[in-house]
Amino acid sequence: GAVVSQHPSWVICKSGTSVKIECRSLDFQATTMFWYRQFPKQSLMLMATSNEGSKATYEQGVEKDKFLINHASLTLSTLTVTSAHPEDSSFYICSARLAGAIDTQYFGPGTRLTVL
Amino acid sequence: TQLLEQSPQFLSIQEGENLTVYCNSSSVFSSLQWYRQEPGEGPVLLVTVVTGGEVKKLKRLTFQFGDARKDSSLHITAAQTGDTGLYLCAVDTGRRALTFGSGTRLQVQP
């Protein structure tokens, strides 16, 4: 089946620093990738839609200048959390869309971000 | 208000018991998906239901899509400790991204 990887799997950083998270589709090309955030004991919430070669589309309430998304190739999207603060600590999960008769999204294993 | 309401929020049962998880909405969907997520991992797709009234089986898991395509249920027969996890229903609201339900956290005790 289709595989999506994320790197790093976990990261701890100091408040005010920036952190980059990578999302790769390993065996298929994805023109569209998605970034979700999941707080403890909660469900996944969509942050933004990442489109290859164009600007990302952000959900209401998600600051585009804080969460920078780049989708430079058909297999790689990156999320950079700029000037991270403790409230940004969360589980960040990406997914890549495999187009077909019924579109299917394949999820990465997630990245646990802890901001001290 | 959440688009997809799941119930119960939390369920703790003994191994061998049966259980049903519900996913309800007031909206109509062309399809609905069920995922299972284990701690520290991304969600894994279990099934996609498309037709109103459709029933799909995956080993001990039975999924049903409501006749009106507004709700769905997941029934697990003879639960095992390996079934422990967060069960999420999800729909595509037309923007290709998924909207997830509130989730049901299942714990199966040995």
Side-chain angles (χ1 to χ4, degrees):
Chain A
V3 178
V4 175
S5 70
Q6 278 185 243
H7 178 80
S9 55
W10 60 269
V11 57
I12 300 173
C13 70
K14 291 183 179 180
S15 187
T17 60
S18 296
V19 173
K20 180 186 282 189
I21 302 170
E22 292 186 351
C23 176
R24 292 181 187 273
S25 55
L26 298 186
D27 48 4
F28 66 101
Q29 294 183 331
T31 54
T32 307
M33 292 183 174
F34 304 94
W35 288 95
Y36 297 84
R37 181 166 53 184
Q38 185 177 32
F39 291 108
K41 299 193 186 301
Q42 293 187 24
S43 188
L44 282 75
M45 295 293 291
L46 178 68
M47 296 177 66
T49 301
S50 171
N51 299 297
E52 187 267 338
S54 64
K55 290 183 179 180
T57 304
Y58 291 82
E59 294 301 295
Q60 193 171 8
V62 178
E63 299 174 56
K64 62 179 181 181
D65 294 330
K66 181 171 184 60
F67 298 99
L68 302 179
I69 292 173
N70 185 278
H71 193 154
S73 78
L74 289 172
T75 60
L76 173 65
S77 175
T78 60
L79 168 67
T80 301
V81 183
T82 62
S83 187
H85 290 285
E87 57 266 30
D88 299 322
S89 298
S90 187
F91 194 50
Y92 292 86
I93 306 172
C94 72
S95 71
R97 173 176 160 256
L98 181 59
I102 297 178
D103 287 356
T104 300
Q105 286 190 35
Y106 293 92
F107 286 83
T111 296
R112 171 77 55 195
L113 170 64
T114 301
V115 185
L116 302 177
Chain B
T1 56
Q2 193 125 16
L3 179 65
L4 297 171
E5 291 286 351
Q6 287 187 240
S7 62
Q9 290 185 357
F10 180 76
L11 192 56
S12 180
I13 61 171
Q14 295 294 125
E15 205 167 24
E17 292 184 15
N18 302 331
L19 68 118
T20 302
V21 173
Y22 300 93
C23 174
N24 295 302
S25 178
S26 57
S27 299
V28 177
F29 305 109
S30 57
S31 66
L32 183 144
Q33 298 181 330
W34 283 95
Y35 289 82
R36 179 170 66 213
Q37 184 184 24
E38 298 193 26
E41 298 183 12
V44 175
L45 179 66
L46 297 175
V47 77
T48 300
V49 286
V50 179
T51 307
E54 181 178 8
V55 176
K56 280 191 172 180
K57 291 194 174 184
L58 184 66
K59 296 183 181 178
R60 294 175 293 101
L61 277 61
T62 301
F63 304 85
Q64 185 162 9
F65 202 13
D67 290 340
R69 291 183 286 127
K70 292 182 178 182
D71 51 71
S72 183
S73 64
L74 157 60
H75 182 79
I76 301 179
T77 304
Q80 299 176 357
T81 56
D83 296 326
T84 293
L86 178 66
Y87 288 83
L88 297 159
C89 59
V91 294
D92 177 349
T93 52
R95 298 175 301 145
R96 304 294 188 184
L98 291 174
T99 297
F100 284 87
S102 46
T104 293
R105 197 166 297 275
L106 172 64
Q107 190 160 20
V108 182
Q109 309 280 4

